[in-house]
Amino acid sequence: MTADQLKDIISAGLPCEHIALEGDGRHWYATIVSAEFEGKRAIQRHQRVYATLGSKMHTDEVHALSMKTFTPAEWAAAQPE
C-alpha cells in the first residue's frame, strides 16, 4: 500500500484537516488532525482511525500504524510561530 492509498482510506472515513504519513508500505507513522477528535482520549482517537481501515489491519495490508492525533486547536497550538 502506498502513502496516498492509505491517506485516501483514512480521509474517506474520517474528515481530516491534515494527514501526514511516513512508512515503508507496511509500517506507518501518521499525524492526523480532525475535529472529530474533540473531547476524545488518545485511545478513542486511535480506535476511530483504525475503524476507517477496517479489514486492512486484519489482512495485514497495513501491518503497523503509529500515530499522533490532534484536534485542530491542539494542532494550531503545536505549530511553531
Side-chain angles (χ1 to χ4, degrees):
M1 178 170 303
T2 68
D4 286 339
Q5 289 171 319
L6 185 56
K7 185 176 182 177
D8 289 345
I9 292 167
I10 293 171
S11 61
L14 177 69
C16 300
E17 292 191 10
H18 174 80
I19 301 176
L21 291 162
E22 295 177 25
D24 62 9
R26 291 191 57 209
H27 302 89
W28 295 97
Y29 177 80
T31 301
I32 303 170
V33 181
S34 175
E36 283 199 24
F37 296 150
E38 294 285 348
K40 292 186 170 64
R41 295 175 305 154
I43 188 70
Q44 294 170 312
R45 295 174 183 196
H46 292 195
Q47 289 169 336
R48 179 67 180 93
V49 175
Y50 286 135
T52 68
L53 298 173
S55 65
K56 304 285 188 238
M57 293 296 291
H58 300 289
T59 60
D60 209 34
E61 288 180 72
V62 177
H63 179 72
L65 176 63
S66 296
M67 64 186 107
K68 288 188 179 182
T69 54
F70 299 90
T71 65
E74 291 167 344
W75 180 246
Q79 300 310 302
E81 296 202 22

